[in-house]
Amino acid sequence: MIQVQNLHKSYKGNSVLRGVDFKANKGEIIGVIGKNGAGKSTFLEIIMTLKNYDEGEVTVFGQDLQKLTEQQHQAIRANISAVLQPTQFFKNLKVEELLHLFKAYYRSNTNIEQIIKDFQLESHRKTYFEKLSGGWKQKISLAVAFLSNPKLIILDEPTTGLDPHMRNTLWTYITEYNQKTNGTVILTTHYMDEVEMYCDKVLLINDGKAELFTTPKNILALGYSSINDFYLQNVL
Ligand SMILES: Nc1ncnc2c1ncn2[C@@H]1O[C@H](COP(=O)(O)OP(=O)(O)O)[C@@H](O)[C@H]1O
Ligand SMILES: [Mg+2]
């Protein structure tokens, strides 16, 4: 799905990524972790072809991004869905209107009523997006992201600031999507319990480098009581 080698990215001389190696296979759920400002969002945006980079090789669906035209980038984007932060949906649309709009946009044949049922959106279908709570906004964003039946879904802090029930709900959808479609999920999170419970692999970006890329199981095998324990001891 994705292969990244020795990725470097700077913003006007300010070096953010300084050698990141990464690989995502079909059907994997991968958590990207690291301090605020570590470069996690930048990394996701590069994979999504939304940002360029200075050095290294990024291959998505078998194609080297640096060798592609803008039109070819768009073709790649058609197979990726993303929930980036902050969510910038059309404020003056109701939930059901948003779903229909994006269904048309993606030329998706997904049944909206099924989505409303699966995501339990009935109670809020007539609510304007801007009037929703943070958790509901994330839930709707995720429902929209799934509309296009993407091969790859990229989520930037999808559960930040949500209560435990809402976090649990979102993870139920993410794992169901992953199991039903064998779709790949790459997400960032600051919740180490999510990494431990749901992620097949974890990428730690520290000081601009991929400091660690392995399974949560391998981390625990080093003797840490939890991924949180590992993080607190190693990311200083
Ligand atoms: N468009 C931009 N222009 C300049 N600097 C940026 C831009 N986007 C991000 N940065 C800087 O790059 C660093 C990494 O940011 P980001 O990728 O958002 O990190 P994270 O998502 O891990 O918090 C930060 O120091 C941030 O200020
Ligand atoms: Mg970020």
Side-chain angles (χ1 to χ4, degrees):
M1 280 260 133
I2 296 179
Q3 189 128 26
V4 175
Q5 272 171 326
N6 195 29
L7 176 64
H8 285 68
K9 164 78 180 171
S10 56
Y11 292 107
K12 296 193 184 105
N14 171 29
S15 159
V16 174
L17 299 177
R18 288 180 282 127
V20 173
D21 294 290
F22 174 82
K23 193 178 164 192
N25 299 313
K26 193 166 168 51
E28 284 181 332
I29 300 182
I30 303 178
V32 181
I33 61 172
K35 287 190 283 196
N36 289 319
K40 301 180 297 297
S41 296
T42 301
F43 177 69
L44 294 188
E45 286 163 28
I46 290 172
I47 291 176
M48 291 186 62
T49 81
L50 297 178
K51 272 193 178 147
N52 55 17
Y53 49 97
D54 309 319
E55 216 186 302
E57 206 175 275
V58 182
T59 310
V60 179
F61 305 140
Q63 289 173 291
D64 185 339
L65 292 188
Q66 216 127 43
K67 293 186 180 141
L68 302 182
T69 63
E70 175 53 26
Q71 209 168 16
Q72 288 168 314
H73 280 168
Q74 280 176 17
I76 285 184
R77 269 177 239 150
N79 287 305
I80 305 178
S81 261
V83 179
L84 302 178
Q85 279 196 323
T87 358
Q88 295 159 328
F89 276 128
F90 301 91
K91 285 184 184 163
N92 51 354
L93 285 179
K94 292 174 185 163
V95 165
E96 61 181 13
E97 292 169 341
L98 258 173
L99 292 171
H100 282 286
L101 180 78
F102 276 89
K103 177 184 158 123
Y105 174 77
Y106 289 132
R107 296 195 183 92
S108 158
N109 51 19
T110 307
N111 184 327
I112 298 292
E113 290 311 313
Q114 193 61 45
I115 291 263
I116 288 175
K117 209 171 142 209
D118 290 350
F119 282 76
Q120 296 166 299
L121 307 179
E122 191 57 47
S123 60
H124 289 65
R125 66 187 291 160
K126 308 266 183 215
T127 308
Y128 285 98
F129 186 78
E130 67 173 337
K131 296 265 160 71
L132 295 170
S133 67
W136 269 89
K137 280 186 178 146
Q138 281 302 87
K139 195 166 153 173
I140 302 299
S141 306
L142 210 60
V144 166
F146 287 129
L147 264 178
S148 67
N149 292 317
K151 283 191 220 166
L152 168 65
I153 191 152
I154 291 181
L155 308 169
D156 201 359
E157 297 190 28
T159 55
T160 291
L162 305 189
D163 68 49
H165 284 295
M166 193 56 102
R167 277 215 282 153
N168 196 41
T169 305
L170 289 197
W171 271 106
T172 304
Y173 299 139
I174 293 169
T175 49
E176 270 178 13
Y177 154 79
N178 168 255
Q179 280 158 14
K180 275 189 196 155
T181 69
N182 202 25
T184 307
V185 183
I186 302 173
L187 67 122
T188 59
T189 182
H190 289 299
Y191 300 109
M192 297 305 128
D193 58 323
E194 296 181 350
V195 172
E196 194 167 328
M197 272 196 288
Y198 305 112
C199 293
D200 298 307
K201 287 192 186 142
V202 50
L203 170 70
L204 166 64
I205 301 183
N206 204 16
D207 280 333
K209 297 198 182 87
E211 192 156 298
L212 184 103
F213 182 49
T214 186
T215 63
K217 219 174 164 177
N218 282 343
I219 296 175
L220 296 176
L222 296 172
Y224 297 100
S225 64
S226 64
I227 303 298
N228 199 51
D229 178 32
F230 158 81
Y231 186 97
L232 290 175
Q233 290 192 44
N234 290 279
V235 184
L236 306 170

